[in-house]
Amino acid sequence: MPRSLATAADLRASAAADSEVLTSLNAGDVFEVLELAGNRAWGVAPATGIVGYIPAAALTDAQ
């Protein structure tokens, strides 16, 4: 499900908060959520095609 970011967030390689940062996303960027697990969202950033994890709190409400 496509969602927008309410705040900037790092897209990480794994759900661990200290995992490798693959790219940084800006507020307003679209993030395609594939799965929500606890406080993390796993999905793809369509603008770059990179798959990874962001904090679920960085997402806006469902559109």
Side-chain angles (χ1 to χ4, degrees):
M1 107 181 76
R3 304 270 296 270
S4 294
L5 270 71
T7 61
D10 289 331
L11 183 65
R12 296 186 173 271
S14 76
D18 61 350
S19 68
E20 175 189 2
V21 175
L22 302 173
T23 191
S24 294
L25 304 174
N26 297 310
D29 284 353
V30 173
F31 187 72
E32 182 75 31
V33 177
L34 303 173
E35 182 178 3
L36 287 170
N39 62 353
R40 294 284 180 203
W42 175 70
V44 62
T48 62
I50 299 174
V51 175
Y53 293 83
I54 63 169
L59 297 167
T60 62
D61 292 336
Q63 297 178 351

